[in-house]
Amino acid sequence: MRYSKKLGQCFLKDRNIVKKTVDAAQINSDDKVLEIGLGKGILTRELAERSKKVYVIEIDRRLEPFAREITSKYDNVKIIWGDALKVDFNSLDFNKVVANLPYQISSPITFKLLRHDFDLAVLMYQYEFAKRMVAKKGTEDYGRLSVAIQYYADVEFVCKVPPQAFFPRPKVYSAVVKITKKKPENMLPLEDPQFFEDLLRALFQHKNKTVKRALLDSVHEIGLEERELRELLEDLDFNLKERVFKLGVEDIVKLSNLLYRRIKNNPTSYQSDNIKNNNKKIRNKK
Ligand code: SAM
């Protein structure tokens, strides 16, 4: 078989890494697990041995012989042929996720998962991406990805994985990350998740600048004009002189909620058409 680079087909061959990954997910016989990407099924077999049910989403039909081999041995494995980005996760009943992810879809699949309900995910990423996921405020790797993920979940680094653990060998190191989804009652309340995302984009385009400078420099990202933003920032109960990369998740949630409330409650008289259009979605929710 020709391995597809486009589909991220670097299959795990190191059994120690397989074991470490499945161990980190603390799989037991009550668990129902979602796996993304069957490959030749090295992870699937281990999951099938230890759990109640395994759903595997795989896009490449050429892997059907491996799927048949597995489903003839394990009756708790169900293969779903399709694109994991398009499959409706609500149609699958799982509480854990374990996968050696195709790197091309690392970011969208992670955010798709985070919007879904699950207890724990243990996932393999490219090393650099994993470092950004787990980075703490004030560090070099800390950025939009760190905040966006850490808002929804606690993330831990499990282990670094060398290229020789796979066939074919990737060019870069990988890493296993454990993601524990926060319970809804432990999540910081957000006035508007979309505004939070827009604000993150605006802030982290200038992560070494002060909050005020960063916002002014990417004012378009939050659908405002400079004049309006300056007014909104006046007397805001927030340290606007802090550098963006030093803000924790809580700080950014606070800033998002403060600004969102001000935008929502502001009289529209001084707004240009541009602002009105851009912020229609916010004010319509009033
Ligand atoms: N789990 C196997 C392993 O560890 O050896 C395979 C991992 S390999 C990195 C990624 C797998 O995901 C490949 O089998 C690939 O065909 C599949 N894949 C790629 N894009 C996909 C997508 N959008 N939806 C579902 N599967 C996908």
Side-chain angles (χ1 to χ4, degrees):
M1 173 184 148
R2 271 186 151 220
Y3 300 101
S4 162
K5 264 196 187 156
K6 210 176 88 197
L7 295 177
Q9 289 181 340
C10 291
F11 298 147
L12 256 175
K13 60 171 194 175
D14 184 331
R15 294 203 169 272
N16 279 330
I17 301 295
V18 172
K19 192 170 173 309
K20 248 190 194 171
T21 306
V22 181
D23 283 351
Q26 298 156 306
I27 303 291
N28 64 54
S29 55
D30 287 332
D31 284 326
K32 296 174 193 160
V33 187
L34 170 67
E35 186 188 357
I36 292 152
L38 173 79
K40 294 184 179 176
I42 191 168
L43 262 176
T44 319
R45 288 168 196 272
E46 191 70 24
L47 292 170
E49 293 279 352
R50 300 204 209 175
S51 66
K52 184 170 184 176
K53 180 91 194 170
V54 190
Y55 298 98
V56 194
I57 308 175
E58 172 57 60
I59 203 167
D60 188 353
R61 284 268 181 183
R62 294 178 308 158
L63 297 167
E64 252 170 332
F66 300 102
R68 271 197 299 274
E69 214 179 286
I70 287 172
T71 48
S72 63
K73 182 164 179 203
Y74 299 100
D75 59 7
N76 59 345
V77 176
K78 181 171 166 50
I79 316 275
I80 297 124
W81 296 102
D83 182 345
L85 292 174
K86 293 190 184 142
V87 171
D88 178 8
F89 286 172
N90 289 317
S91 65
L92 309 173
D93 175 24
F94 62 90
N95 64 315
K96 292 187 179 170
V97 190
V98 177
N100 169 16
L101 290 175
Y103 295 138
Q104 289 76 356
I105 61 166
S106 293
S107 184
I109 201 69
T110 303
F111 284 103
K112 181 173 173 180
L113 277 172
L114 288 170
R115 274 181 244 114
H116 194 81
D117 214 20
F118 67 89
D119 299 329
L120 190 74
V122 176
L123 304 172
M124 178 105 67
Y125 294 93
Q126 284 196 347
Y127 179 59
E128 297 302 323
F129 189 88
K131 278 204 303 188
R132 290 197 282 132
M133 288 174 74
V134 302
K136 296 282 173 257
K137 68 176 177 182
T139 64
E140 200 186 326
D141 289 317
Y142 187 65
R144 180 155 81 99
L145 180 73
S146 331
V147 180
I149 289 177
Q150 292 168 31
Y151 173 76
Y152 292 102
D154 296 316
V155 271
E156 272 169 70
F157 198 86
V158 177
C159 61
K160 190 171 175 179
V161 184
Q164 55 271 27
F166 305 88
F167 188 83
R169 276 189 195 194
K171 287 199 174 72
V172 293
Y173 272 76
S174 305
V176 179
V177 172
K178 178 169 163 178
I179 302 174
T180 311
K181 184 90 192 282
K182 289 182 187 164
K183 299 264 171 268
E185 61 272 24
N186 295 334
M187 283 179 54
L188 299 165
L190 265 183
E191 293 269 336
D192 188 85
Q194 182 60 53
F195 184 72
F196 177 67
E197 279 178 30
D198 293 346
L199 185 70
L200 280 184
R201 201 173 319 106
L203 286 170
F204 282 97
Q205 273 176 24
H206 310 280
K207 72 174 195 173
N208 294 318
K209 293 187 179 171
T210 65
V211 173
K212 184 168 180 178
R213 193 66 259 162
L215 289 178
L216 286 168
D217 284 355
S218 29
V219 67
H220 55 283
E221 294 284 2
I222 41 177
L224 299 171
E225 282 190 351
E226 188 173 328
R227 187 165 54 102
E228 189 185 26
L229 177 65
R230 283 190 187 278
E231 271 181 48
L232 289 169
L233 293 179
E234 256 170 47
D235 305 320
L236 200 70
D237 175 24
F238 197 86
N239 179 9
L240 298 170
K241 290 187 181 141
E242 187 59 284
R243 302 272 158 193
V244 170
F245 75 101
K246 290 193 174 164
L247 297 179
V249 177
E250 278 180 30
D251 302 319
I252 300 175
V253 169
K254 179 183 167 187
L255 178 62
S256 174
N257 288 344
L258 282 173
L259 271 179
Y260 183 80
R261 265 180 239 131
R262 281 203 171 174
I263 294 172
K264 224 167 106 173
N265 297 329
N266 245 3
T268 55
S269 58
Y270 66 94
Q271 292 160 6
S272 68
D273 285 346
N274 186 24
I275 295 169
K276 276 187 210 151
N277 290 339
N278 280 329
N279 287 307
K280 220 188 260 166
K281 63 173 193 280
I282 298 178
R283 294 192 172 92
N284 281 346
K285 289 184 190 167
K286 212 171 175 179

